[in-house]
């Protein structure tokens, strides 16, 4: 079993500062995503690609992330958790510069693969450290950390919207944003826990199949992320094409869904601490299922918007709790977190296209019937997140050394 050196036992104040530091890291990570998303039309025009070619290119971030996520544990084993996060996060923030430089489809696919690879590895590293801080504080923080990611994404997208509105060149915008976010990330990483492996500890394998526990937990995350991706990408289309709403109302439904998720994640930790991970996810599944039914059966845009809001509330805390459960599910936390992350990234990748394909074969109403069924899967599968209910034994602040989250 990996242990951190005795000298690395932290005081309560140090762990509290580490919580602020890792929350800032989550916000920086989200800001990169928000900055990129708002300039996709500019990147498409600059690269000269069609809508179909852009769709192909946008699959490469998820492919890059899924392939390289297992490497995060080995990097943390080699360099220590703090140094690994510092390097991986800097690579991710600097990777924001690359897509706007791509002159054609081939280079765009290549740089988006790199963009996704750095995103995925830094994602695993920061979630592993987040789980460790949560263990030491003995209270839920993972939902709030993911809420900070959403806040960062909203800030990044707001800045990107302003840049797009004034007609700023995305190459300049993304270079400036990358430099600022890199500086913020490096500063934040100074405060995270510096966990290291024992010198004689065997490093984790470069690539390995996720453990069985991660596959089971990941299945619950898959349901939540599928519902999230479908709602974010298709809610506006649903209101416009199925219920005949205006473009403004349709767009507002997507914004409302994103804000609902962010608020729910920021408030989710108190609920998890009071009711536990299993009951929280089960109740969320009921809300999401109710929301899905409201969307499918709704005769008017207002009711459907309420349904999408309930979907957002219901799935908001599932992924943070899946990461937390994975981090406590076995002897290799980072490996388990990488497995869950890979499954959820895959779900986010296939959800929009799956909804579109099913809608073309049947209807968009049927597509969201499938989303509703997956939301009900949260009610049935919530029990597998029982590991997310903390049972701290010797990992609290000042106690015996805890396991390094590097999976090493």
């Amino acid at each position: 079993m990996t242990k951190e050196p005795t000298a690395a036992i932290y005081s309560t104040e140090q762990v509290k500062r580490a919580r602020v530091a890792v929350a800032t890291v989550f916000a920086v990570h989200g800001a990169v995503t928000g900055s990129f998303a708002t300039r996709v039309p500019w990147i498409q025009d600059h690269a000269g690609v069609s809508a179909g070619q852009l769709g192909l290119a946008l699959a490469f971030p998820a492919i890059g992330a899924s392939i390289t996520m297992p490497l995060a544990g080995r990097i943390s084993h080699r360099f220590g958790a703090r140094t690994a996060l510092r390097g991986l996060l800097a690579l991710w923030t600097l990777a924001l510069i690359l897509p706007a430089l791509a002159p054609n489809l081939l280079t765009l696919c290549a740089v988006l693969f790199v963009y996704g690879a750095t995103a995925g590895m830094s994602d695993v590293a920061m979630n592993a450290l987040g789980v460790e801080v949560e263990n030491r504080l003995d209270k839920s923080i993972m939902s709030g950390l993911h809420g900070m990611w959403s806040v960062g994404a909203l800030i990044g997208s707001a800045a990107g919207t302003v840049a797009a509105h004034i007609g700023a060149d995305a190459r300049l915008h993304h270079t400036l944003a990358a430099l600022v976010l890199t500086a913020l990330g490096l500063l934040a990483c100074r405060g995270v826990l510096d966990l290291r492996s024992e010198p004689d500890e065997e490093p984790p394998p470069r690539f390995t199949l996720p453990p069985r526990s991660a596959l089971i937990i990941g299945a619950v995350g898959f349901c939540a992320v599928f519902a999230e991706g479908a709602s974010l990408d298709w809610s506006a289309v649903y209101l416009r094409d199925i219920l005949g709403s205006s473009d403004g109302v349709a767009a507002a439904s997507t914004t409302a869904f994103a804000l609902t998720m962010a608020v729910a994640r920021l408030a989710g930790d108190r609920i998890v601490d009071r009711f536990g991970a299993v009951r929280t996810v089960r109740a969320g599944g009921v809300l999401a299922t109710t929301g899905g039914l409201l969307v499918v059966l709704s005769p008017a845009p207002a009711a459907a918007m309420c349904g999408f809001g309930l979907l957002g509330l219901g799935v908001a805390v599932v992924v943070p709790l899946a990461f937390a459960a994975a981090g406590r599910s076995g002897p290799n936390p980072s490996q388990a977190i990488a497995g869950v992350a890979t499954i959820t990234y895959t779900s986010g990748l296939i959800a929009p296209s799956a909804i579109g394909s099913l809608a073309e074969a049947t209807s968009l109403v049927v597509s969201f019937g499938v989303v509703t069924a997956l939301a009900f899967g949260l009610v049935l599968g919530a029990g597998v997140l029982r590991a997310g209910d903390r049972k701290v034994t010797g990992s609290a602040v000042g106690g015996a050394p805890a396991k390094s989250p590097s999976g090493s």
Side-chain angles (χ1 to χ4, degrees), residues 36-372:
F36 168 75
T38 54
R39 306 311 306 271
V40 168
W42 190 99
I43 292 170
Q44 178 185 7
D45 291 342
H46 179 70
V49 297
S50 66
Q53 291 172 327
L54 178 64
L56 171 65
L58 290 176
F60 275 81
I63 295 171
S66 300
I67 291 175
T68 58
M69 276 176 175
L71 292 174
R74 193 175 182 92
I75 293 171
S76 293
H77 172 91
R78 175 77 179 273
F79 299 103
R82 179 189 292 169
T83 301
L85 179 61
R86 182 186 293 128
L88 292 172
L89 185 66
L91 288 174
W92 161 234
T93 53
L94 292 173
L96 175 61
I97 299 172
L98 300 178
L101 302 178
N104 53 51
L105 176 62
L106 182 61
T107 53
L108 183 60
C109 290
V111 299
L112 287 179
F113 180 92
V114 174
Y115 174 86
T118 55
M121 290 188 290
S122 56
D123 192 303
V124 171
M126 72 186 190
N127 273 283
L129 276 169
V131 170
E132 182 63 27
V133 172
E134 181 174 274
N135 286 342
R136 290 163 176 269
L137 291 174
D138 194 20
K139 66 178 183 179
S140 178
I141 68 167
M142 290 302 292
S143 179
L145 292 180
H146 283 254
M148 287 300 296
W149 189 97
S150 297
V151 170
L154 287 171
I155 293 173
S157 62
T161 299
V162 172
H165 181 72
I166 64 176
D169 189 305
R171 291 169 294 189
L172 176 61
H173 164 215
H174 281 173
T175 298
L176 292 175
L179 293 176
V180 170
L181 292 173
T182 300
L184 288 174
L186 291 175
L187 184 63
C189 285
R190 294 175 61 184
V192 303
L193 300 179
D194 190 17
L195 304 176
R196 297 178 180 274
S197 304
E198 292 289 350
D200 60 348
E201 188 74 23
E202 286 292 327
R206 289 183 175 86
F207 295 99
T208 183
L209 292 176
R212 182 173 178 272
S213 60
L215 294 176
I216 297 172
I217 294 168
V220 176
F222 181 95
C223 293
V225 173
F226 194 99
E228 178 184 349
S231 298
L232 280 172
D233 287 3
W234 287 95
S235 57
V237 177
Y238 190 96
L239 262 71
R240 186 194 64 191
D241 293 356
I242 303 299
L243 299 177
S245 68
S246 67
D247 287 342
V249 171
S253 69
T254 303
T255 302
F257 179 87
L259 287 173
T260 298
M261 286 202 65
V263 171
R265 282 179 170 172
L266 290 171
D269 289 321
R270 291 186 178 182
I271 298 172
V272 174
D273 278 334
R274 181 168 183 179
F275 298 104
V278 174
R279 283 190 287 179
T280 299
V281 171
R282 191 163 284 146
V286 172
L287 285 176
T289 303
T290 303
L293 289 172
L294 197 54
V295 169
V296 171
L297 301 176
S298 175
M305 288 181 70
C306 290
F308 283 118
L310 288 175
L311 269 168
L313 283 174
V315 304
V317 301
V318 177
V319 171
L321 291 178
F323 279 123
R328 302 187 185 98
S329 64
N332 287 312
S334 189
Q335 182 183 343
I337 289 172
V340 170
T342 300
I343 294 169
T344 55
Y345 267 64
T346 302
S347 179
L349 170 64
I350 68 173
S353 59
I355 291 295
S357 298
L358 185 58
E360 187 173 347
T362 55
S363 71
L364 203 50
V365 175
V366 173
S367 294
F368 275 92
V370 173
V371 170
T372 304

